[in-house]
Amino acid sequence: MQRRSPIRKCVGCGDRRDKIELLRIVNNKGEIIIDPGGKLPGRGAYLCPNMDCLEKAVSKNKLSDALKFEISDEIYEKISEEIKHD
Ligand SMILES: [Zn+2]
């Protein structure tokens, strides 16, 4: 049986991929949380789990636009740690 998962767009490279392949980042009432399960409420952005896409998303302000939140160095570090752990 084939199961289709929702398609989401990476804010870094712009590629469309299965939601499960992407890292979800959520602005949860002013706190930026990495949400691997894709379950948390709030404004979310999707990112391929690699540093290239994180760099692109941050340098072009796409991540901050998507989340309506400024991406500080601290948040950047948090996301890059998550990517490296995967
Ligand atoms: Zn990407």
Side-chain angles (χ1 to χ4, degrees):
M1 195 175 91
Q2 203 181 8
R3 197 167 149 261
R4 285 176 59 192
S5 62
I7 302 296
R8 293 290 181 271
K9 192 174 160 185
C10 168
V11 290
C13 62
D15 278 1
R16 288 168 198 280
R17 297 174 67 164
D18 279 5
K19 188 181 165 186
I20 49 167
E21 294 177 15
L22 297 166
L23 191 65
R24 183 171 187 249
I25 300 154
V26 182
N27 177 356
N28 187 294
K29 296 172 185 163
E31 193 188 355
I32 300 302
I33 301 170
I34 296 156
D35 176 26
K39 297 280 196 293
L40 289 173
R43 181 181 285 275
Y46 292 86
L47 200 63
C48 304
N50 66 59
M51 292 303 291
D52 274 1
C53 288
L54 176 60
E55 293 285 353
K56 281 181 200 162
V58 171
S59 66
K60 294 177 183 173
N61 291 323
K62 286 181 177 175
L63 189 56
S64 49
D65 284 353
L67 295 173
K68 302 280 181 244
F69 200 87
E70 193 176 336
I71 304 303
S72 64
D73 289 350
E74 194 185 339
I75 294 166
Y76 177 88
E77 284 299 321
K78 197 160 121 177
I79 299 168
S80 59
E81 280 302 310
E82 181 70 25
I83 288 170
K84 287 169 192 165
H85 284 191
D86 290 348

